[in-house]
Amino acid sequence: MSSGTLVICGHGMVAQRLLEHLCEGGHPFSRVVVLGAESEPAYNRVLLSSVLAGDATLDQLRLRDDAWFDANGVERYYGDPVTTIDRTYQQIITAAGRELAYDTLVLATGARPAPLGIPGDDLEGVLTFRDLRDTHQLIELSQRHGRAVVIGGGFLGLEAAEGLRCRGMAVTVLHRNPHLLNRQLDTTGSKLLAASLMQRGLSIRTGVRPCALLGKRRVRAVQLDDSNLVSTDLVITAAGITPNAGLAITAGLDCGRGIRVSRQLRTSDPAIFALGECCEIDGQTFGLVDPGYEQARVLAQVLKGSDQGAVFRSTTQPTRLKISGIPIFSCGQTRPDENTESIVWQDHGQNRYCRLLLRDGRLVGSVLFGETRDGPWYAEQIHKGNDLTPWRATLAFGRDYCEQAA
Ligand SMILES: Cc1cc2nc3c(=O)[nH]c(=O)nc-3n(C[C@H](O)[C@H](O)[C@H](O)COP(=O)(O)OP(=O)(O)OC[C@H]3O[C@@H](n4cnc5c(N)ncnc54)[C@H](O)[C@@H]3O)c2cc1C
């Protein structure tokens, strides 16, 4: 079991979940300190899309108030990023020069938008969508400009695009892959999503690659590799994320794309742990909040000593998203191959779609669009790996039909 001072570097959604688990039923530390680079305590980052679209207020982002931290004895410092980890003296140093000794250090520094790496990506008007500051800036600029280009048709790019459209901007989404949200959806699902978004007024161009951002001081246009130009006032880059591992790299911790940790979230230094979007486990990094929450649960058990055998298992994590109000769910394999058969059900009237992928009678993947209530049940079937042949005729209609038919 750990003891002494626990220092948590980064106060985002996953660090807060760790604190919740640690404070539940008491923890072994004499002092718990959390340091955040942003100027406020952890908030619900997922809701930033709703704030941008004008559907949520800043108050709704709050996860815990000061009273909760005070009652649980959590010391906190904001707006002061950790700049150095001194592993020899087991202390961290912040940008403001604060020095803090630790017995156990947890790195929960998250990730940042991946740079485009093309000429012009440093022009004025080229923005990201990651935190509250970005969100305020986008809202403010949407009131002064008419056109925006979003680079990236993953969930973040689509949320940014839809938010700016709701603010009255004419928005074009550029996506490298021929299909939107290609990690989570199959071809039909992507097409349905594109059609719904275009119906709302977004302009979508897939299978295109921006090769330069043009303008003297401010961005004026995006140059595509097919020689076309898209004129714009703003560019929002949402083409993937990069784990914030710089601090760990400088401290000499083993890092790949992220900070390499064991399944117990331990780095190459036994006194230092990492979790959330900054970490890498078995070569895998993470871009959604649920795996981070599971890591927080495991790490709390390890630190409390309540279950020394606790390990993070990167099982097939379901993805549940709401792209501008359209529910989407996927789990496991999303595209058919020569070893799978598909069961497809589509309701054109209600814009609902379901594809189930079976291998040897067992469910290996599901994609749901428009209606996702049965998603967790399909995920359970994927994890259990049961032979579903007896339910085949009713499988696409969900749990209730299958159980009635049984
Ligand atoms: C707009 C938006 C919408 C999203 N929607 C969804 C969704 O619908 N579903 C979903 O699953 N996921 C969604 N995500 C992703 C989700 O928010 C992340 O997976 C989650 O926030 C990761 O948590 P984290 O604690 O690892 O990192 P973060 O929440 O990014 O927190 C890390 C914190 O550490 C701070 N930090 C970094 N470096 C330092 C340093 N040196 N010193 C001190 N502090 C530091 C950062 O400033 C940040 O505050 C969304 C993300 C965004 C931006």
Side-chain angles (χ1 to χ4, degrees), residues 16 20 41-42 62-72 76:
Q16 179 57 30
E20 304 270 344
R62 192 192 301 259
L63 293 174
R64 288 290 187 178
D65 58 17
D66 283 345
W68 184 88
F69 293 103
D70 292 342
N72 286 288
R76 56 243 183 246

Side-chain angles (χ1 to χ4, degrees), residues 10 12-14 37-38 45 82 108-110 130 155-156 276-277 288-289:
M13 295 181 76
V14 173
E38 292 184 71
R45 197 174 300 284
V82 174
T109 48
R130 177 74 201 180
F155 76 90
L156 256 180
E277 285 189 353
L288 293 167
V289 77

Side-chain angles (χ1 to χ4, degrees), residues 328-360:
I328 288 169
F329 178 94
S330 69
C331 188
Q333 192 172 333
T334 55
R335 284 161 194 257
D337 60 30
E338 64 278 11
N339 298 316
T340 53
E341 349 168 43
S342 294
I343 297 179
V344 175
W345 174 78
Q346 187 167 1
D347 180 336
H348 292 270
Q350 300 211 39
N351 211 18
R352 291 178 182 179
Y353 168 73
C354 161
R355 179 191 288 271
L356 302 173
L357 291 162
L358 292 145
R359 192 186 303 134
D360 302 327

Side-chain angles (χ1 to χ4, degrees), residues 13-29:
M13 295 181 76
V14 173
Q16 179 57 30
R17 184 56 67 95
L18 173 67
L19 282 169
E20 304 270 344
H21 285 303
L22 284 173
C23 294
E24 207 176 80
H27 57 72
F29 298 102

Side-chain angles (χ1 to χ4, degrees), residues 368-379:
L368 308 179
F369 179 93
E371 169 58 66
T372 58
R373 213 178 14 179
D374 281 309
W377 185 72
Y378 288 127

